[in-house]
Structures are given as C-alpha cells and as structure tokens.
Amino acid sequence: MKNKKGDSRFQIAHREALIGVGLVIFNFIWWFGFAYGLGHKDPSEYTYVLGLPAWFFYSCVVGLIVMVILVTFIVKRYFVEVPLDDEGKEDE
C-alpha cells in the first residue's frame, strides 16, 4: 500500500474538495449580495419578480438555478472517477 503522499487519489480528492469549497463560497457571496444588496430597503419600496420580492427571487430562485448549472458543469468537467480499493493490495 502506498502512503498518502504517493497516492494520486488523495491529490484528486484534495483538488475536488477545494473546488467544492470554492462553490460554497461563490454560493454564499451570490446569496448575500442579492439578499442584502436588494433587501436592505423598506419593504414598501421592494420591487417584485413573479410575485416574489426581487431580493428573494434573485438570491434564492435564480441562485438555485445558477448553482445547479454550475455544479453540474464543474462535476462533469473537472471531477474524475477514482477507484476506492487499495492499489496493489494482495489477496491474503
């Protein structure tokens, strides 16, 4: 069995974990920007999209659609399948 430093699966997992953290940070920035950027006004001054306050529509509805598309693209493009069994393990 190879050590963790020599096993490419750990490098792949580390890269994919960093991509996942980046997606979470992007999602939070998107949500926070629209929710507090457009939602800081008095409720009587809100604009509405499809019957929802604009801040909610853009932060939650559009944000969900953007994240689903983005995650699907990232997973198909950058994530790779790796074997989970030990490489070179001998049968005992």
Side-chain angles (χ1 to χ4, degrees), residues 13-53:
H14 183 71
R15 180 180 60 89
E16 291 177 356
L18 290 176
I19 291 171
V21 169
L23 287 169
V24 168
I25 291 170
F26 175 78
N27 187 33
F28 179 76
I29 291 170
W30 178 283
W31 175 84
F32 190 86
F34 280 108
Y36 287 99
L38 296 175
H40 74 281
K41 305 178 209 170
D42 184 72
S44 64
E45 299 175 13
Y46 286 169
T47 57
Y48 294 86
V49 178
L50 299 175
L52 299 169

Side-chain angles (χ1 to χ4, degrees), residues 11 14 23 35 38 40-41 43-44 59 61 69 73 79 83 90:
Q11 293 171 339
H14 183 71
L23 287 169
L38 296 175
H40 74 281
K41 305 178 209 170
S44 64
S59 66
V61 177
I69 292 168
F73 172 76
F79 282 30
E90 296 179 18

